[in-house]
Amino acid sequence: MFCPKVPTNPTPTGLVPPSVVEPTSTVRQTPPPAPVAQPSTRPTVHLTPGTALALVGGGTAVVLIVGAVLVSMLLAVAISGVSVAVCAVVLRSMLASERTHR
């Protein structure tokens, strides 16, 4: 599967004489007629002011929900980072005070 296989071409037996190309007469052909577009059987979508307002409202709701989720995730990461930093400072001070009181 992973071994490359080199295609084998027959080796030429001698010089091949060039082929002679004879000019042919040109025949002018008429182009085929342009295809006619078929009418669509699907119903067209009519966008009324009410549906446009509903689409805008739905898009706004999606953006607000996604924004709230992202902000809450960022806030959770920030709070976790602050709590880890506070724990590190408390541990450092405890270890430093233990060394000095011996």
Side-chain angles (χ1 to χ4, degrees):
M1 180 175 153
F2 295 108
C3 297
K5 295 180 180 173
V6 178
T8 57
N9 293 330
T11 58
T13 57
L15 295 176
V16 179
S19 61
V20 177
V21 178
E22 295 182 14
T24 58
S25 63
T26 58
V27 177
R28 180 167 240 171
Q29 295 180 354
T30 58
V36 178
Q38 297 294 328
S40 175
T41 58
R42 296 186 310 175
T44 58
V45 176
H46 297 289
L47 193 61
T48 62
T51 56
L53 188 63
L55 286 174
V56 169
T60 303
V62 167
V63 167
L64 288 176
I65 290 171
V66 169
V69 168
L70 290 177
V71 166
S72 64
M73 289 172 60
L74 180 65
L75 193 61
V77 169
I79 290 172
S80 299
V82 168
S83 65
V84 167
V86 168
C87 289
V89 168
V90 168
L91 284 173
R92 183 178 174 194
S93 67
M94 286 173 54
L95 290 175
S97 66
E98 185 177 306
R99 286 186 195 142
T100 58
H101 292 298
R102 268 193 174 186

